């Protein structure tokens, strides 16, 4: 596993957390929720790409 993946996910989490706090404190709870959901979707896309690469590597190893 590449350490860059961990840093990418942590970076997205930090940005989403900061934006969420700013939006909540300014009274925009709906936008804060949408920001959190968007951050979750971004992380899920990153993870699905990595899982796809993992399956391709497993296919190559076992010659499927």
């Amino acid at each position: 596993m590449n350490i860059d993946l961990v840093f990418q996910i942590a970076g997205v989490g930090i940005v989403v957390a900061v934006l969420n706090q700013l939006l909540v404190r300014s009274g925009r709870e709906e936008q804060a929720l949408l920001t959190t959901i968007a951050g979750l979707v971004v992380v899920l896309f990153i993870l699905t790409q990595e899982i796809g690469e993992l399956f391709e590597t497993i296919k190559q190893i076992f010659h499927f």
Side-chain angles (χ1 to χ4, degrees):
M1 184 169 109
N2 198 351
I3 195 71
D4 292 337
L5 175 66
V6 175
F7 286 138
Q8 282 180 343
I9 293 172
V12 170
I14 291 169
V15 168
V16 167
V18 169
L19 286 174
N20 190 13
Q21 288 299 315
L22 287 173
L23 289 169
V24 167
R25 290 181 190 256
S26 67
R28 298 179 176 178
E29 286 83 12
E30 294 86 10
Q31 286 89 359
L33 178 65
L34 290 175
T35 303
T36 304
I37 293 171
L40 179 65
V41 169
V42 168
V43 170
L44 288 176
F45 276 129
I46 293 171
L47 288 177
T48 53
Q49 290 174 350
E50 292 296 321
I51 290 171
E53 290 178 15
L54 173 67
F55 285 146
E56 288 298 320
T57 304
I58 291 172
K59 278 182 173 179
Q60 290 176 357
I61 290 173
F62 293 110
H63 304 290
F64 285 122

